[in-house]
C-alpha cells in the first residue's frame, strides 16, 4: 500500500480489547424519528451507540422495534444506566442490560444532582467496583476529577468518560486545564469526552487535546438537520484526531515571521542605476 493511501487519523481505538475504527459514539435519544436516527448513524460511520436501559425496557413493543432497528444497523450497543441515583439502582440496571442486550459492556451513570446531572463520584466508584468484579466492562460517566479517575481505574475501569460540561448544555469543554491534566495523567487509558458537546468545533478541540473519542447525543438529535450534523461531527472528529497525530504547533507570546528577514539584502527600488 502506498503511503498516500493510508488515511491519517484512522488508527483503530481499542476498548477492552476490541478494536473500534470510528472515534465517534452516538446516543440514540431524542431523534425526531427512527428513520432520522438510522440515517444519522449511517452517515456518522459510528460503530457504537448508547441506549438507555430504563427507556427501552419500559417501552414494550416500541422497545422491540427499536432493538430491531439497532440490530439492522450493525452497530455495537453500549447500554447505559441513565437516571440511576444510587449504586444499587445502577448495578441492578446494568445486570438487566446484560440480559436484555447480551453484552457485558455498560456505560455506568450514577447521578448526584438533578439540575446539573453531575455524577455521584462516590457512588460511581462503588458501583464500578461491584460491576467490574462481576465481569462487566465498565465505561464510567465521570467528571474531570483526578482523584475519582484514579479510584475508578483502581476499581477495574479500563476506560474513562469525563464530561465536557453538564449533559445537554452544549457548552463544550468547560474546564480545559483539568481535562488536559487528566489526559496527561492517564496517557495509557482511553478517555472519551461524554456530555456537553454542542458543536463540531468542541469535538475537534477535544480530539486535538489527545482525547480518544467523543460521545454525542443532543447536539445531533436536536439539530435542525440531524443527519447533516452527524456528518459534520464525524468530519470534525477525524480532523481533530489527525491534527493531534500530526503535531500541533506550540503557542507563542510574540509573533514569529514565516519569512525571516535577518541577513537578507535590502534594495532601494528608487535608486538610479
Amino acid at each position: 500500500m502506498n503511503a498516500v493511501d493510508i488515511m491519517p487519523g484512522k488508527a483503530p481505538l481499542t476498548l477492552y480489547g476490541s478494536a473500534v475504527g470510528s472515534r465517534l459514539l452516538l446516543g440514540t435519544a431524542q431523534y425526531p424519528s427512527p428513520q432520522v436516527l438510522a440515517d444519522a448513524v449511517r452517515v456518522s460511520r459510528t460503530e457504537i451507540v448508547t441506549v438507555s436501559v430504563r427507556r427501552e425496557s419500559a417501552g414494550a413493543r416500541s422497545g422491540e422495534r427499536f432493538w430491531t432497528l439497532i440490530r439492522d444497523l450493525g452497530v455495537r450497543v453500549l447500554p447505559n444506566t441513565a437516571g440511576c441515583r444510587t449504586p444499587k439502582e445502577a448495578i441492578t440496571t446494568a445486570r438487566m442490560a446484560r440480559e436484555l442486550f447480551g453484552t457485558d459492556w455498560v456505560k455506568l451513570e450514577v447521578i448526584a444532582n438533578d439540575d446539573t446531572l453531575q455524577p455521584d463520584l462516590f457512588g460511581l466508584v462503588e458501583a464500578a467496583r461491584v460491576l467490574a468484579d462481576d465481569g462487566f466492562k465498565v465505561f464510567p460517566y465521570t467528571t474531570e476529577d483526578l482523584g475519582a479517575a484514579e479510584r475508578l481505574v483502581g476499581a477495574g475501569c479500563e476506560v474513562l468518560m469525563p464530561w465536557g460540561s453538564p449533559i445537554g448544555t452544549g457548552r463544550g469543554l468547560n474546564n480545559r486545564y483539568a481535562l488536559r491534566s487528566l489526559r496527561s495523567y492517564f496517557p495509557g487509558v482511553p478517555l472519551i469526552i461524554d456530555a456537553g458537546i454542542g458543536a463540531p468545533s468542541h469535538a475537534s478541540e477535544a480530539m486535538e487535546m489527545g482525547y480518544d473519542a467523543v460521545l454525542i447525543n443532543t447536539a445531533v438529535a436536536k439539530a435542525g438537520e440531524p443527519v447533516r450534523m452527524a456528518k459534520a461531527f464525524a468530519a470534525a472528529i477525524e480532523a481533530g484526531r489527525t491534527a493531534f497525530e500530526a503535531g500541533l504547533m506550540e503557542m507563542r507570546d510574540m509573533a514569529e515571521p514565516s519569512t525571516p528577514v535577518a541577513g537578507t539584502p535590502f534594495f532601494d527600488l528608487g535608486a538610479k542605476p
Side-chain angles (χ1 to χ4, degrees):
M1 178 181 290
N2 191 297
V4 298
D5 296 326
I6 302 174
M7 291 294 290
K10 289 294 186 180
L13 169 64
T14 301
L15 304 173
Y16 285 104
S18 296
V20 181
S22 172
R23 294 175 182 270
L24 169 60
L25 288 68
L26 273 187
T28 56
Q30 306 183 76
Y31 285 83
S33 73
Q35 186 60 56
V36 171
L37 167 60
D39 291 343
V41 169
R42 290 190 183 98
V43 302
S44 72
R45 303 190 303 279
T46 186
E47 297 176 22
I48 301 173
V49 298
T50 60
V51 176
S52 170
V53 180
R54 295 163 70 93
R55 187 185 77 234
E56 297 313 324
S57 60
R61 297 181 106 185
S62 63
E64 185 178 336
R65 290 195 299 270
F66 175 85
W67 176 235
T68 300
L69 170 67
I70 296 300
R71 186 176 59 235
D72 291 346
L73 288 169
V75 291
R76 184 162 193 160
V77 171
L78 176 60
N80 70 52
T81 63
C84 293
R85 285 170 170 74
T86 67
K88 182 178 179 180
E89 190 178 9
I91 292 165
T92 300
T93 303
R95 288 171 174 163
M96 184 189 306
R98 183 159 60 183
E99 294 297 321
L100 186 63
F101 296 106
T103 178
D104 56 6
W105 282 24
V106 64
K107 179 190 167 191
L108 180 62
E109 298 185 29
V110 183
I111 300 303
N113 181 275
D114 289 337
D115 292 324
T116 64
L117 299 179
Q118 179 170 333
D120 174 356
L121 299 180
F122 302 100
L124 185 67
V125 173
E126 179 183 340
R129 182 172 289 110
V130 171
L131 291 173
D133 288 344
D134 198 20
F136 281 88
K137 309 297 189 296
V138 181
F139 293 68
Y141 163 60
T142 183
T143 67
E144 65 276 25
D145 185 273
L146 281 176
E150 283 190 300
R151 285 164 175 77
L152 287 167
V153 171
C157 298
E158 296 181 14
V159 177
L160 299 175
M161 301 183 75
W163 67 355
S165 52
I167 293 172
T169 61
R171 299 181 63 86
L173 308 181
N174 266 356
N175 193 340
R176 291 169 175 79
Y177 172 80
L179 288 170
R180 287 192 178 95
S181 296
L182 188 67
R183 177 68 284 178
S184 298
Y185 201 80
F186 294 97
V189 176
L191 300 181
I192 302 171
I193 290 291
D194 177 16
I197 297 298
S201 57
H202 299 158
S204 185
E205 182 182 8
M207 300 305 292
E208 288 172 2
M209 282 185 185
Y211 276 77
D212 296 284
V214 178
L215 171 60
I216 313 290
N217 192 165
T218 308
V220 172
K222 290 298 191 72
E225 296 182 49
V227 177
R228 293 185 69 188
M229 188 60 75
K231 187 174 183 179
F233 269 106
I237 287 171
E238 183 170 327
R241 181 65 187 183
T242 301
F244 171 74
E245 292 179 344
L248 296 163
M249 67 174 286
E250 294 184 5
M251 295 179 65
R252 295 172 52 89
D253 292 328
M254 302 294 289
E256 180 181 21
S258 56
T259 304
V261 296
T264 59
F266 288 87
F267 300 96
D268 184 355
L269 298 180
K272 295 181 180 180

